[in-house]
Each structure stands twice: as structure tokens, then as C-alpha cells.
Amino acid sequence: MRVIAKKILRDFWEKHPDCEQQLKAWFKETGEAEWKNTADIKNGYANASFIAGNRVVFNIKGNNYRLIVKINYDYQMVWIRFIGTHAEYDVINAAKI
């Protein structure tokens, strides 16, 4: 998968250094993955949640942070749509971000 864009993650972990290693690991694992469907994601991320518009919510650092991505399986592309604290996640519309 090609992840767009690492800078978003880097900017976030600079503000929240406690999640740096988890975000780096997610980026590396996702970059090496070849997800074809939601089942492929569930195999590696059992706690991932799937929402409308091919969006996936990943729990980062024991659910302290939430990462929302949009995936195009055919083109093997992952766009980072949101990264934030659990409290910040609670006030957004995850299906439309």
C-alpha cells in the first residue's frame, strides 16, 4: 500500500511523542501490506473499525489516539484523513472527514 502522507503522522508525533513508535510501526506495516479487502486488514489489526466510504479507524497506543484513513484497494492507496486524540475523534464525523 502507498500511504499519503507521512508528514501528517510526523507532525502529530512531534506534538504527541508517546505515540511516535506506534505510528512509525503502523506506517511501515501498511507500506508493506497488500490489502485487498477489509478481511486483510482485520488479520493484522483486529480492533480496526470500518465505516462508510472505505474508511478505516485504527486505534493507536491502546486507543489513546485514533487514525482514520481512506483506502482504495484497487490502486493500493491509503490516504490519512485524521489523526487525533480519542476526545478529538469524538467530536468529528468520521464518515465524512
Side-chain angles (χ1 to χ4, degrees):
M1 304 297 291
R2 181 167 177 219
V3 181
I4 311 293
K6 187 175 185 178
K7 182 181 182 333
I8 296 168
L9 299 179
R10 186 180 307 113
D11 289 348
F12 188 79
W13 78 54
E14 286 175 358
K15 293 178 187 170
H16 304 275
D18 61 323
C19 67
E20 179 177 356
Q21 293 309 311
Q22 291 84 357
L23 289 173
K24 284 181 175 179
W26 177 89
F27 184 85
K28 182 179 186 303
E29 291 165 6
T30 301
E32 295 171 354
E34 293 183 15
W35 296 327
K36 304 248 185 292
N37 53 47
T38 58
D40 289 345
I41 297 170
K42 274 292 191 185
N43 285 335
Y45 296 93
N47 291 326
S49 301
F50 302 94
I51 52 181
N54 283 337
R55 286 173 172 76
V56 183
V57 180
F58 294 94
N59 298 321
I60 304 295
K61 195 176 181 284
N63 205 20
N64 288 338
Y65 304 102
R66 294 282 180 97
L67 171 64
I68 302 174
V69 301
K70 183 174 182 175
I71 298 177
N72 183 312
Y73 297 101
D74 293 334
Y75 291 103
Q76 293 287 288
M77 300 287 289
V78 176
W79 289 271
I80 297 170
R81 305 298 296 154
F82 171 86
I83 177 75
T85 65
H86 201 290
E88 292 167 335
Y89 173 84
D90 287 342
V91 297
I92 64 162
N93 183 341
K96 293 193 177 188
I97 196 157

